Amino acid sequence: DAKTTQPNSMESNEEEPVHLPCNHSTISGTDYIHWYRQLPSQGPEYVIHGLTSNVNNRMASLAIAEDRKSSTLILHRATLRDAAVYYCILRRNNAGNMLTFGGGTRLMVKP
Amino acid sequence: DAGITQSPRHKVTETGTPVTLRCHQTENHRYMYWYRQDPGHGLRLIHYSYGVKDTDKGEVSDGYSVSRSKTEDFLLTLESATSSQTSVYFCAISEFGDSPSYNEQFFGPGTRLTVL
């Protein structure tokens, strides 16, 4: 399976935008880019996913590089509740819908 | 929130004893998954199910078995628990299809298992 590389941790100030990078240089044409986050003492929750085009939803935006070898999750205004571990995951479009989690990026938000 | 419950939420057991964890869903989703998460690490897939009585192995299946006799229930069994199986176990569900709302996995609250 193609792997992703993320920084171990990042810091942000409250109410400022946050850009969380992810490198996936071995991505294949059928891999979807998924982002999940895990708040302390909870299970992961879905944030956003995309294939080739940039995507927006109520939680975040996903910017995908033209060559698809990297992507960036954008939180437009970080809040203290956004402090979590963010996982960038490549999901192959096959039966099973399986996710392979890496180490993720721990986002700390300062008031 | 997706209707996923896990039981028990916490369990302490001794090495060599059998343990069964239960995942129950009310969403009628086809796919169900069991993951484990160890401190400081991401989740690793143990087993998954793609329908009643249809299961397959994940990345770390040794020492674990699963069963799914009903759509809503997915059981994870440790036949003879070992200390290396001390972990937090998460269940997840998903559907699969072309709609953008598919393909998300929804996770349960987790079960913290300690094997002494």
Side-chain angles (χ1 to χ4, degrees):
Chain A
D1 286 345
K3 297 214 180 295
T4 62
T5 304
Q6 300 176 254
N8 288 335
S9 63
M10 291 184 63
E11 265 190 9
S12 171
N13 294 318
E14 196 176 12
E15 297 189 6
E16 290 186 355
V18 181
H19 290 232
L20 297 165
C22 181
N23 288 320
H24 28 79
S25 57
T26 59
I27 191 170
S28 76
T30 56
D31 287 341
Y32 284 78
I33 302 161
H34 282 242
W35 284 82
Y36 282 74
R37 72 179 186 180
Q38 187 173 22
L39 281 66
S41 300
Q42 295 187 25
E45 64 174 344
Y46 168 84
V47 178
I48 200 166
H49 80 280
L51 184 61
T52 56
S53 303
N54 295 344
V55 184
N56 300 298
N57 67 19
R58 62 176 180 80
M59 289 182 71
S61 296
L62 176 60
I64 301 172
E66 197 169 329
D67 63 5
R68 300 211 323 128
K69 295 188 177 187
S70 65
S71 61
T72 303
L73 179 70
I74 302 165
L75 307 179
H76 296 287
R77 286 179 74 241
T79 70
L80 297 178
R81 292 178 59 217
D82 290 322
V85 178
Y86 287 79
Y87 295 99
C88 170
I89 301 165
L90 301 182
R91 182 184 67 79
R92 192 135 294 171
N93 191 29
N94 58 6
N97 205 17
M98 288 179 283
L99 303 175
T100 301
F101 286 78
T105 296
R106 181 173 297 279
L107 175 66
M108 292 166 280
V109 180
K110 297 184 292 184
Chain B
D1 288 346
I4 310 169
T5 57
Q6 293 185 230
S7 58
R9 293 292 314 280
H10 301 271
K11 185 170 182 67
V12 179
T13 191
E14 295 192 348
T15 297
T17 60
V19 176
T20 295
L21 308 182
R22 180 182 184 235
C23 177
H24 178 78
Q25 61 150 327
T26 57
E27 306 295 323
N28 202 35
H29 280 11
R30 180 180 170 195
Y31 290 89
M32 298 186 76
Y33 312 81
W34 276 108
Y35 294 87
R36 62 176 287 174
Q37 184 173 33
D38 300 307
H41 292 85
L43 281 71
R44 291 183 292 170
L45 182 67
I46 305 171
H47 280 280
Y48 70 99
S49 169
Y50 47 97
V52 173
K53 297 197 166 107
D54 293 322
T55 65
D56 206 348
K57 295 179 180 180
E59 179 188 358
V60 290
S61 59
D62 287 348
Y64 301 95
S65 62
V66 290
S67 66
R68 191 167 177 203
S69 58
K70 299 185 288 185
T71 299
E72 56 266 35
D73 289 327
F74 192 33
L75 304 180
L76 177 71
T77 298
L78 291 65
E79 301 289 349
S80 177
T82 68
S83 58
S84 64
Q85 294 175 310
T86 292
S87 190
V88 179
Y89 290 84
F90 288 100
C91 174
I93 64 174
S94 77
E95 257 312 337
F96 187 71
D98 293 333
S99 167
S101 64
Y102 290 164
N103 306 314
E104 287 182 43
Q105 285 194 18
F106 301 93
F107 286 81
T111 293
R112 184 173 296 276
L113 176 67
T114 302
V115 183
L116 302 176

